[in-house]
Amino acid sequence: DGGITQSPKYLFRKEGQNVTLSCEQNLNHDAMYWYRQDPGQGLRLIYYSQIVNDFQKGDIAEGYSVSREKKESFPLTVTSAQKNPTAFYLCASRLRTGIYNEQFFGPGTRLTVL
Amino acid sequence: GESVGLHLPTLSVQEGDNSIINCAYSNSASDYFIWYKQESGKGPQFIIDIRSNMDKRQGQRVTVLLNKTVKHLSLQIAATQPGDSAVYFCAENDAANTDKLIFGTGTRLQVFP
C-alpha cells in the first residue's frame, strides 16, 4: 500500500534530550512537510522540503532541524532548544507536478516531554 | 498576515441531519482550497477540494461551496452519520508559494443519536 508512515506513534523525552521523528513516504512525492499541532489548535508549519537536499523554514522552525537526503524520507529532530516540545507532530507529502495538489498526511507522532 | 479562520469551533447535529461547516479566508489571491477531516489521535484526511474558478463541487455526501465575493468556504455533509464526528479543517494555498497551505483552526463536529 502506498502512503506515509511516521514512527514512533508515541515518544517520551526527558528535558535536555534531542529526539528524531521519522517520516517515510512511498508515494513518489516531491515535497514533504512537518507540522506541529497543539490541543484545540490548527496546524503550524515547522519545515518543508520541495526537493531532495533542500528544505526551508516554516513559521515555527526554532528548536527543530531536518534533513532530506532521500526523496522518501524527511526526519525531524526536536532539539533541546525547543522550549515547549510536547505536541502532536504531523508529516505530510505532496506531488509537485501541478499547482492544485493536496497534501497527504501521516498518522502522527505524539511527543511528550517528561 | 493572511489567515484562514472558522466561524464555529463546535457544531452538534443529530444523526441523519445535514451539517454545514463554515470557513472564512482573508487572502483574495488564494485559488485553491481543501477540506480535511481529522479524527482523534490521527492525521488529517483529504475530503474534497475546490479551485477558485468553481463555485461548487460535490463528492460522496459532501459538497463544498466557494463564495469569492465574501471570501467564504463551506462544507456541507448530507445525512450526517456518527462516523462523521471529527474536527474539520479548511486550508487555502499560499498564493505566494503554492507549495504551502494555510490551515484554519478547525471545527469539531459532534453527531448525536
Side-chain angles (χ1 to χ4, degrees), chain A residues 7-92:
Chain A
S7 61
K9 186 173 177 62
Y10 299 98
L11 185 58
F12 298 90
R13 186 192 96 173
K14 294 182 179 179
E15 286 192 20
Q17 285 183 333
N18 293 352
V19 289
T20 298
L21 283 59
S22 170
C23 178
E24 303 279 332
Q25 54 96 2
N26 61 3
L27 300 167
N28 199 32
H29 284 176
D30 309 290
M32 297 187 73
Y33 306 79
W34 274 106
Y35 294 90
R36 170 183 171 135
Q37 186 176 36
D38 293 284
Q41 297 188 29
L43 280 62
R44 292 186 289 169
L45 183 63
I46 304 172
Y47 267 99
Y48 67 105
S49 168
Q50 295 166 306
I51 56 172
V52 175
N53 293 321
D54 187 46
F55 49 83
Q56 290 78 38
K57 292 183 178 180
D59 301 317
I60 55 166
E62 184 176 354
Y64 300 98
S65 66
V66 293
S67 62
R68 186 85 186 278
E69 298 177 0
K70 298 186 299 182
K71 188 175 185 179
E72 302 80 20
S73 179
F74 190 42
L76 173 75
T77 297
V78 184
T79 74
S80 57
Q82 169 52 236
K83 299 306 179 187
N84 185 23
T86 295
F88 189 48
Y89 290 87
L90 288 159
C91 179

Side-chain angles (χ1 to χ4, degrees), chain B residues 77-98:
Chain B
I77 305 174
T80 311
Q81 303 170 359
D84 294 327
S85 295
V87 175
Y88 290 81
F89 293 95
C90 63
E92 62 178 308
N93 75 310
D94 184 335
N97 181 347
T98 56

Side-chain angles (χ1 to χ4, degrees), chain B residues 33-80:
Chain B
F33 305 87
I34 305 172
W35 280 101
Y36 285 95
K37 172 186 179 183
Q38 186 178 25
E39 297 178 41
S40 181
K42 298 183 179 180
Q45 295 175 281
F46 171 87
I47 301 174
I48 193 168
D49 59 2
I50 189 168
R51 303 181 187 181
S52 61
N53 62 351
M54 303 171 68
D55 297 323
K56 179 180 180 179
R57 191 166 188 220
Q58 289 184 293
Q60 187 176 13
R61 281 202 307 119
V62 295
T63 300
V64 56
L65 298 177
L66 176 62
N67 186 332
K68 294 180 288 294
T69 302
V70 295
K71 289 182 282 189
H72 184 268
L73 193 68
S74 69
L75 177 70
Q76 300 179 0
I77 305 174
T80 311

